[in-house]
Structure formats: structure tokens, C-alpha cells
Amino acid sequence: MALLFLCDGEDADVWSAALRAEIDDLDIRVWPVGVGDPHDIDVALTWQPPRGVLASFPNLKAILSLGAGVEHILRDPELPPGVPVVRLIDPGLKSGMVEFVTMEVLAHHRRVSEYRAQQAAGEWRLLRQTLSRDRRVGILGMGHLGTACGEVLGRFGFPVAGWSRSEKDIPGIESFSGEDGLFALLERTDVLVCLLPLTPETEDILDATTLGALPPGAALINAARGMHVVDDDLINLLDSRHLSGATLDVYREEPLPPHHPFWTHPKIVMYPHAAAWTLPESASPVIADNIRRTRTGQKCIGQVDTRRGY
Ligand code: NAP
Ligand code: GLV
């Protein structure tokens, strides 16, 4: 039994040390050079696996994502059928995302970009302040991350609502679901946060129709996936001043190509997919637990419904 480490760009030595601190005799094979006999591999830990690679391990029993999203695994047309795919539910990812979303909601709320532009222009001018109870936050995706962000934002006094596939009962957070629920949430939202998984149903969900349903002056924070946003529609709504600003962490193509208009748009704040990292020191115990579960015939924590896509 061996763990396949199939995460191009990640430091295999650091991850190996962190995972061996959890399971001391863990046999780790690093793709592509250190794989050895493919029959030995029973669990794969992966981020953006090249198409077809996972199909080459005949004894694979679980595919663990190194992140919360799993679309990078499910898009493989040769994904071995019947092998469970598992998303990462990690306290470090959760706290990182809560910090990021809170920081950016507060930045839109307190007009940080406008103050920075005034500073650059040497301009001393007070901008109107709004009470948090008058700034409505809407969150698309009330899963592990969306719920945690909503709970913290509620403590600042923002009226928070969330949209999910199923109705939720979370104290202090208004719940919306279904297509009617989506537009009802958008119409009452001043800062929209996207934390949806990328699936065929959610791809391109932030377009002229949905973003246009936000009240004039609303702002967008997309910390989910770039494919949720129709780029030209977002730019048109910012240029027409329907939207006041957007924070983007994720893009249709990453790294964002050098000539993409987002880079220089005055109303866009960009991050290089940095909202929440998977850190070995917090994620290793979670990953180790799922390796043990797989090897003792138990269901992993975070197993996804591959038909639903998350
Ligand atoms: P999760 O726990 O699986 O939650 C997903 C939420 O989206 C659930 O509330 C689900 O509804 C809802 N949803 C899915 N499809 C829907 C649809 N068609 N209509 C309405 N609601 C729908 O996921 P998570 O762990 O919170 O992570 C969310 C995403 O964040 C990840 O998939 C990843 O793309 C992104 N992410 C980004 C970063 C970054 O650094 N930028 C870091 C981590 C994660 P139900 O509750 O009803 O099922
Ligand atoms: C990061 O984008 C993740 O899905 O964890």
C-alpha cells in the first residue's frame, strides 16, 4: 500500500514530512519519477492531475483532493470509475477563507480602494460611511466555507443571506435556494460573495443577468473559481457603474494572461488565487485520517457526489 503524491508545483519533501508525522510508516511515491510499481498505489493525493494519469493505478481506492475544489479531478475524462473522490475539509482552509472574505467585505464596506486612490492623488476628502446593518451581504454557496464566512460577517452586524441547493437553517443567516431564491438573494445584496463549487450548473453563473440583478452600487467578491464569472459581463457592469467594484481571486485562465483587462481595471482588486492555501501543518491530519479510513474500509470525510460535481 502506498500513497501517490500527484501535485505538480507542491513541495513533495515538505508534504512527505508532514504526512509521515501523522503516519510514520507511510510509503509515499512522488509522481512522475518516484512512482515505482503502479499496483502498490492505493490512495492518490492530487491537485490538477494530468488527464489519464489516475487511470494507470489498478488498485486505487480513493482520490483525495489537495484542496476544497474537486473540478480539477472530475474533468479528467479517463477518471477511474467507482473510485471515491474526496474534497478537503480543512480548518486551515476555512480560517484562511474567513480572513480573506472578511477582509474584502470590510474593504468594500469602508471604501478602501477609493481612499487609496485619493491618497495617490493627494486628495483629503471624507467619503460617506454606512452602518454595517445597512450593508447586506449575500453568499452563493453555503457549504463548509460559505457558512463559516457568513457566521463571522454576521458578528460585524451585516445582514447576511446565503444561497445553496438545499434550504439551510443557520441562526442569523437568511436562507435562499433554487432559481427564484437566487434572484431574491441578489436583489437584497450589496456585497456578493461567491463560494460555490464549479460544476456544470454553476459555470458562468455570474453573468449580465445575475450581476445585473444586484442593486446599483453593489460589489462582487469571487473566491470560488474563475469559470463562475463571464468576464466581459463583469467589465461592462463595472464600466456602466452598475457595480461599484470587484475583488477577484480566481480566473478562467491562471495565471491571468498579461493583457487581460482585469489587470488594469480601476475597479478590480486582484489576488493570484491566494484566498486560502492548503497548508501541510493543518491539512495533514485530515488527509492522514482519510488514508486510514480508506485502508480500514470506512467512508472518507468529504467524499463528493461525482454526478452532482461537488
Ligand atoms: P462545499 O462545502 O461543498 O459547499 C458548496 C456549497 O455550494 C453548498 O452549500 C451547496 O449547496 C452549494 N451549491 C452547489 N451547487 C449548487 C447549485 N447548483 N445551486 C445552489 N447551491 C449550490 O464547498 P466548500 O468547501 O465550501 O468550498 C467551496 C468552493 O470554494 C470550492 O469548491 C472551491 O472552488 C472554492 N475554494 C477556493 C479557494 C481559493 O483559494 N480561492 C480555497 C478553497 C476553496 P448544498 O449545501 O445544498 O449542497
Ligand atoms: C483552492 O482553490 C481549493 O479548492 O482549495
Side-chain angles (χ1 to χ4, degrees), residues 47 65-71 93 223-225 250 273 276 278:
W47 184 253
S65 173
L66 193 74
V70 290
E71 83 293 339
L93 264 184
R225 288 291 183 263
V250 285
H273 200 144
T278 302

Side-chain angles (χ1 to χ4, degrees), residues 14 63 89 102 128 159 163 232-233 258 261 274 297:
V14 170
I63 300 167
I89 302 178
T102 304
R128 189 182 152 70
W163 183 69
D232 288 343
D233 290 0

Side-chain angles (χ1 to χ4, degrees), residues 67-71 87-89 93 97 140-147 163-168 177-178 194-199 201-202 205 222-225 228 249-250 273-277 308 310:
V70 290
E71 83 293 339
R87 71 200 171 93
L88 182 66
I89 302 178
L93 264 184
M97 189 57 83
L140 303 181
M142 286 304 284
H144 189 65
L145 302 177
T147 299
W163 183 69
S164 43
R165 183 192 294 270
S166 54
E167 195 88 18
K168 304 282 179 214
S177 59
C194 182
L195 281 171
L196 287 165
L198 179 63
T199 69
E201 286 177 21
T202 65
I205 193 168
N222 184 20
R225 288 291 183 263
H228 287 129
D249 184 52
V250 285
H273 200 144
W277 285 24
R308 230 173 35 168
Y310 72 100

Side-chain angles (χ1 to χ4, degrees), residues 246-249 251 256 260-264 268-273:
T247 296
L248 303 177
D249 184 52
Y251 309 89
L256 188 69
H260 194 288
F262 286 167
W263 281 109
T264 50
I268 291 179
V269 171
M270 282 179 54
Y271 294 84
H273 200 144

Side-chain angles (χ1 to χ4, degrees), residues 45-308:
L45 175 62
T46 189
W47 184 253
Q48 299 189 335
R51 289 173 185 212
V53 171
L54 289 164
S56 56
F57 302 98
N59 297 321
L60 198 58
K61 294 190 180 55
I63 300 167
L64 312 183
S65 173
L66 193 74
V70 290
E71 83 293 339
H72 60 103
I73 297 171
L74 299 182
R75 72 185 168 204
D76 183 349
E78 294 165 54
L79 198 63
V83 178
V85 175
V86 182
R87 71 200 171 93
L88 182 66
I89 302 178
D90 162 32
L93 264 184
K94 183 166 84 173
S95 58
M97 189 57 83
V98 168
E99 289 162 9
F100 180 85
V101 168
T102 304
M103 171 176 78
E104 289 302 309
V105 168
L106 288 172
H108 287 289
H109 175 57
R110 296 307 306 264
R111 308 177 69 170
V112 168
S113 291
E114 291 166 85
Y115 277 118
R116 291 292 81 81
Q118 286 187 185
Q119 182 183 351
E123 194 178 347
W124 179 280
R125 186 158 64 94
L126 283 175
L127 299 171
R128 189 182 152 70
Q129 192 178 325
T130 300
L131 292 171
S132 60
R133 68 175 189 216
D134 295 326
R135 186 85 68 191
R136 299 158 299 176
V137 176
I139 302 176
L140 303 181
M142 286 304 284
H144 189 65
L145 302 177
T147 299
C149 292
E151 287 172 344
V152 170
L153 290 167
R155 281 182 228 139
F156 283 90
F158 298 113
V160 178
W163 183 69
S164 43
R165 183 192 294 270
S166 54
E167 195 88 18
K168 304 282 179 214
D169 183 12
I170 306 167
I173 300 181
E174 202 178 349
S175 173
F176 293 90
S177 59
E179 188 161 346
D180 292 348
L182 174 60
F183 283 88
L185 175 133
L186 294 170
E187 284 159 15
R188 52 75 61 209
T189 289
D190 301 309
V191 181
L192 181 69
V193 179
C194 182
L195 281 171
L196 287 165
L198 179 63
T199 69
E201 286 177 21
T202 65
E203 184 171 338
D204 295 335
I205 193 168
L206 298 173
D207 62 4
T209 306
T210 51
L211 294 175
L214 291 164
L220 169 70
I221 298 169
N222 184 20
R225 288 291 183 263
M227 302 282 272
H228 287 129
V229 175
V230 177
D231 294 359
D232 288 343
D233 290 0
L234 173 61
I235 287 174
N236 289 338
L237 286 161
L238 290 167
D239 289 346
S240 70
R241 299 181 176 211
H242 181 73
L243 296 182
S244 60
T247 296
L248 303 177
D249 184 52
V250 285
Y251 309 89
R252 300 183 88 85
E253 187 182 341
E254 294 181 6
L256 188 69
H259 300 297
H260 194 288
F262 286 167
W263 281 109
T264 50
H265 199 288
K267 291 186 178 168
I268 291 179
V269 171
M270 282 179 54
Y271 294 84
H273 200 144
W277 285 24
T278 302
L279 299 172
E281 54 271 39
S282 104
S284 293
V286 179
I287 294 165
D289 180 47
N290 276 332
I291 295 170
R292 284 191 211 97
R293 283 172 173 270
T294 303
R295 291 181 177 170
T296 54
Q298 299 173 70
K299 191 174 173 183
C300 288
I301 307 286
Q303 184 172 327
V304 305
D305 178 340
T306 51
R307 285 162 310 168
R308 230 173 35 168

